[in-house]
Amino acid sequence: MLHAGYERAPLPPVRQESPSATHEAPTEPPAKVKKQPAEQRDPFLDNAKYLTIVLVAIGHVWDPLRDDSRMAGALYFVLYAFHMPAFIIVSGYLSRSFTGTPRQIKRLVTGVLVPYVAFQTIYTLFMRWASDNPDREFHYQEPGFALWFLVALFLWRLTTPLWKTLRWPVPIALAIAVAAGVTPSISSDLNLERVLAFLPFFVLGLQLRSEHFQIIQRRRFRLLAVPCFAGALLVAYWAVPRMSKGWFLHDKAAQDLGAPAWVGGVMTLAVFGCGLVLTAAFLALVPRRAMWFTTLGAGTLYAYLLHIYPIKISREFEWYDMDWVDHPVSRVGITLLAMVMMTVLCTSPFRRAFRVIMEPKMEWFFKRDAGAQAREREKASAAQAAAQTPAERSAPARTAEDSAAASVPSPYASSSSSHHTLGRRHAKS
């Protein structure tokens, strides 16, 4: 016996059609089925991704320069207070649709996990050459320079369904970040300290909606953005000799930075609030319309991973020890060079060249998704039905018996045709 949930619903009543509607054929050909336009990318999000990835490279080239200049250190503090939080918030916003379906898991593995393994391997081989250390081991549990973000993104996105079910996700994530910031026993595996510290920004991105970005794009918020950054720069200038950059890097616990646990908890909350305010100010200044760099926003992860090697070359070969680097004009030139580098690495030629590593298909690695196959069959059936003429759609379907009967000649038809043929021959004679 079938369960109640599997009983078929009753058929709807038959509509009585008028004779004219039944017998009159349409005189006009059917309109072509219009294809639904593909979902377009949001220029605002692509602009934000491109600008933040440029700021990531600027922060990396500024790091060796900050010790010689207090102003450079202040700029470094302001930059590191918001550029990664902004990038992570946007990443969380773009992860809202993740529910853990087989297709999404496959995309997560091929688009995040596989690139991490590949670039971690390449990074180890690269550092064997650059640092003249041929015995450097392959530590896949310890992400190399800047590769921690792939590990974090993988873990954050896997837990997305959990955060979407909680009542207070951001406070809970913030409590986890505070606990991580005062726990020096957390190992360096997977760079877990930093993963947990930046978690609240990702969870916050999951809660945002498009109207939130529209609010901060209003004129009054744009006018407040510049004074906000100016005030942050003044505070950072005061804090440079009194504060460690480790509070912004989130790679060490408070005790490892020489502060008591309660200070670590306060600083975690303060850095989160500062990052949130500066991220809002930054997003208020991001253009909403399409710009010349908007299309580059699709290649930010490529630039993030590829820029690691020029940055490490400049440090391993001590380019910053050259005399010309100390000149203020030279520092401006280095900043512009970093911007150009990230712009070039976001372009389509680099994306095509490294797509085999960054976005491998790996159909051989996964089982075929039965749901995807069913959807493909439905699309094929719909396309076939749309291509039929009205007469083909209105004609009753012929069964196999009917087709077979139509293909076999009738004996009566044969005798009749033979009779008429003989009659014509007799008439001629």
Side-chain angles (χ1 to χ4, degrees):
M1 179 182 295
L2 294 176
H3 294 284
Y6 293 94
E7 293 180 359
R8 300 178 61 183
L11 295 175
V14 180
R15 292 182 57 186
Q16 297 293 334
E17 298 180 355
S18 62
S20 59
T22 305
H23 298 289
E24 289 182 2
T27 58
E28 296 182 359
K32 294 183 179 180
V33 179
K34 295 183 179 181
K35 296 182 178 180
Q36 295 293 335
E39 185 178 354
Q40 297 181 351
R41 298 177 65 96
D42 188 351
F44 169 75
L45 296 177
D46 280 333
N47 293 339
K49 290 169 61 180
Y50 166 77
L51 294 175
T52 51
I53 208 64
V54 169
L55 294 178
V56 168
I58 292 176
H60 287 157
V61 300
W62 278 359
D63 190 17
L65 302 174
R66 62 183 181 84
D67 294 333
D68 300 333
S69 172
R70 186 170 179 176
M71 179 55 68
L75 291 171
Y76 180 88
F77 277 15
V78 173
L79 184 61
Y80 267 76
F82 80 92
H83 79 287
M84 283 309 297
F87 194 70
I88 294 170
I89 286 175
V90 173
S91 299
Y93 177 79
L94 296 176
S95 302
R96 293 173 303 150
S97 61
F98 186 88
T99 57
T101 63
R103 181 175 177 272
Q104 292 173 334
I105 294 295
K106 174 184 174 182
R107 183 69 184 89
L108 183 61
V109 170
T110 58
V112 179
L113 185 59
V114 171
Y116 168 73
V117 174
F119 276 90
Q120 180 72 3
T121 303
I122 297 172
Y123 179 78
T124 303
L125 296 175
F126 170 80
M127 291 303 295
R128 284 184 176 184
W129 165 76
S131 61
D132 195 17
N133 182 16
D135 298 327
R136 185 185 180 97
E137 298 181 5
F138 292 91
H139 293 293
Y140 291 96
Q141 79 282 6
E142 297 180 5
F145 178 77
L147 290 175
W148 69 270
F149 180 74
L150 289 181
V151 176
L153 184 61
F154 183 82
L155 297 176
W156 293 336
R157 195 163 287 175
L158 272 183
T159 60
T160 293
L162 170 63
W163 298 111
K164 293 169 66 175
T165 60
L166 297 180
R167 184 174 303 221
W168 304 289
V170 175
I172 293 175
L174 196 56
I176 294 175
V178 171
V182 297
T183 308
S185 59
I186 295 180
S187 68
S188 60
D189 290 348
L190 302 181
N191 216 322
L192 198 57
E193 183 81 43
R194 185 174 284 173
V195 171
L196 297 178
F198 282 107
L199 175 63
F201 295 105
F202 182 83
V203 175
L204 176 62
L206 292 174
Q207 313 306 314
L208 296 179
R209 298 295 180 266
S210 59
E211 53 266 24
H212 296 135
F213 294 112
Q214 295 173 4
I215 291 174
I216 62 175
Q217 283 281 307
R218 294 174 181 173
R219 177 179 174 81
R220 61 175 177 269
F221 287 101
R222 291 200 302 269
L223 293 176
L224 290 174
V226 174
C228 180
F229 276 111
L233 185 61
L234 290 176
V235 174
Y237 189 84
W238 170 85
V240 165
R242 301 172 174 84
M243 186 174 172
S244 170
K245 71 171 185 177
W247 295 113
F248 299 103
L249 298 180
H250 298 291
D251 57 347
K252 295 179 181 179
Q255 293 86 335
D256 297 329
L257 296 175
W262 70 269
V263 173
V266 172
M267 287 299 299
T268 299
L269 296 175
V271 171
F272 174 79
C274 181
L276 195 58
V277 172
L278 292 180
T279 296
F282 165 75
L283 294 177
L285 298 175
V286 172
R288 292 199 64 88
R289 65 183 185 278
M291 308 291 290
W292 64 267
F293 53 81
T294 300
T295 56
L296 301 178
T300 52
L301 193 57
Y302 287 80
Y304 182 84
L305 296 177
L306 294 176
H307 92 288
I308 293 174
Y309 305 100
I311 296 297
K312 293 300 293 185
I313 287 177
S314 66
R315 298 184 183 182
E316 293 296 329
F317 291 92
E318 300 178 350
W319 290 359
Y320 286 93
D321 293 338
M322 300 179 182
D323 296 335
W324 63 273
V325 174
D326 294 332
H327 198 279
V329 177
S330 301
R331 300 187 179 192
V332 174
I334 292 173
T335 303
L336 295 176
L337 185 62
M339 298 171 62
V340 172
M341 176 185 67
M342 298 305 283
T343 301
V344 172
L345 292 179
C346 286
T347 57
S348 56
F350 282 90
R351 291 161 57 187
R352 287 194 299 266
F354 290 92
R355 184 165 293 158
V356 66
I357 302 177
M358 293 291 299
E359 300 179 75
K361 296 186 180 297
M362 296 181 62
E363 298 292 345
W364 55 270
F365 190 74
F366 300 95
K367 295 190 298 184
R368 293 296 303 273
D369 185 5
Q373 292 178 355
R375 287 190 294 270
E376 291 176 1
R377 288 193 296 267
E378 291 177 0
K379 290 181 180 179
S381 300
Q384 184 178 3
Q388 290 180 343
T389 63
E392 292 174 342
R393 288 196 295 268
S394 60
R398 299 175 65 181
T399 63
E401 292 80 2
D402 295 338
S403 301
S407 61
V408 177
S410 172
Y412 299 100
S414 301
S415 61
S416 176
S417 61
S418 302
H419 174 75
H420 288 296
T421 302
L422 290 175
R424 285 195 298 271
R425 289 178 180 176
H426 178 72
K428 289 180 181 180
S429 62

